[in-house]
Amino acid sequence: MIRIVQRKNIDDERWNSIIAASKHETIYPYTWYMDVSADQWFGLVMGDYECVMPVAIRKKYTIKYVYQPFHNQQLGVYSEKPIDNEITRMFLHRIRKDFLMGNYAFNAGNILREEPHYELSDRINYVLSLNGEYEELYKNFAQNTRRNIRKSCKFDMEISDKISVPEFVEFKKSSNEKRESNAFYQNMERLLLELKEMDKIKIFAVHLGHEICAAAVFAFSTKRMIYMIS
C-alpha cells in the first residue's frame, strides 16, 4: 500500500537512509533539500519505508497542483532495491488520486511507458565517473575542451573558492543572457545561502586580475557532486 505522509510526520532518518542507499542517489530528494527548495511537500511511502517518493505542491486559487521545485532536477521513487515499471506506475497513479494537474521529473531508475492521461517526455542527464586520476579523466575530454584548457593556461587566471553567495548571484544576474525576475534571483540566493550554511555546496570563481570571468556552484550528496549552477 502507498500512503501519503505529511512532511511533519516523515521519519527523516529512515527516509534519508533510503535515498542514500539508492542506486540513483542524488541531492534532490533528501528531506533537507526538499525543505529548502519546495514551497510545500509531502512523501509517498510504500509499506514500511520500502520505497519513498517526494511530491512538491502549490495552490493556485483553490486548486492544488504538483510542481517541480526550484533548482530540483529530478525526484521520483527511491528504494534500496531495484524499482520496476509497475512500482513506478503505482506511485504515478497514487498522485492522480488527489491531484489532476502538474508536472513531475522522475529519476533514471524509474521507467515509465505511455500512460493514458499523462504526457511523457525524456530528458538527458550526463553522469561522469570521477573515480580516477585527473590525467586519466583528461584523456577522455573532447579535443576542443582540451584545446580550451591549454589556451586558458596562457592567461594569469586564478581559481578561488573565496566568493560569497551574494557575489555569485549578482555575477549570475549581470552575465545571464536570459532575463529572469528579481524573485528568481532572490530564490536562488535563499537556496544557496541555506545550502552553504549546511556545508552542502562549494562555489568556485575564476579571476582575471580583480575581475570574475566565470563561476560555478557544485552541490554534494552522499555519492555525487552535482554541477548545479554556472
Side-chain angles (χ1 to χ4, degrees), residues 38-189:
D39 295 351
Q40 182 181 352
W41 72 281
F42 62 83
L44 291 179
V45 177
M46 173 181 279
D48 188 21
Y49 282 82
E50 295 162 20
C51 301
V52 299
M53 174 175 162
V55 180
I57 57 173
R58 278 177 173 162
K59 180 187 286 188
K60 188 169 185 179
Y61 305 115
T62 59
I63 301 173
K64 287 186 176 182
Y65 63 96
V66 174
Y67 82 105
Q68 196 68 19
F70 185 73
H71 280 295
N72 196 313
Q73 183 202 49
Q74 55 181 282
L75 293 172
V77 187
Y78 293 85
S79 175
E80 296 177 338
K81 301 176 181 179
I83 299 164
D84 61 28
N85 172 263
E86 185 56 31
I87 289 177
T88 306
R89 187 171 175 273
M90 287 167 62
F91 273 87
L92 178 66
H93 285 279
R94 181 62 186 84
I95 296 177
R96 198 167 188 273
K97 285 185 179 180
D98 297 277
F99 303 93
L100 297 179
M101 343 174 17
N103 62 83
Y104 194 92
F106 286 87
N107 64 70
N110 303 156
I111 306 301
L112 283 167
R113 301 183 181 91
E114 293 294 328
E115 291 280 341
H117 313 297
Y118 300 97
E119 181 179 338
L120 302 180
S121 60
D122 292 329
R123 298 291 178 88
I124 295 174
N125 183 50
Y126 294 100
V127 180
L128 173 67
S129 173
L130 299 178
N131 295 327
E133 298 297 328
Y134 176 77
E135 290 75 17
E136 181 184 343
L137 299 173
Y138 180 85
K139 291 177 183 177
N140 292 317
F141 291 171
Q143 185 176 351
N144 189 54
T145 300
R146 295 199 296 269
R147 185 184 302 116
N148 287 334
I149 291 173
R150 289 194 296 270
K151 284 182 181 179
S152 69
C153 290
K154 297 178 182 178
F155 297 92
D156 189 21
M157 292 182 176
E158 179 185 355
I159 299 176
S160 168
D161 61 356
K162 307 301 182 186
I163 176 174
S164 69
V165 168
E167 285 177 312
F168 174 83
V169 173
E170 187 57 38
F171 178 63
K172 175 71 174 175
K173 187 176 183 178
S174 64
S175 59
N176 197 353
E177 295 180 357
K178 183 180 178 182
R179 284 183 67 90
E180 301 284 4
S181 66
N182 287 331
F184 175 87
Y185 293 106
Q186 289 168 1
N187 286 334
M188 179 187 294
E189 184 166 341

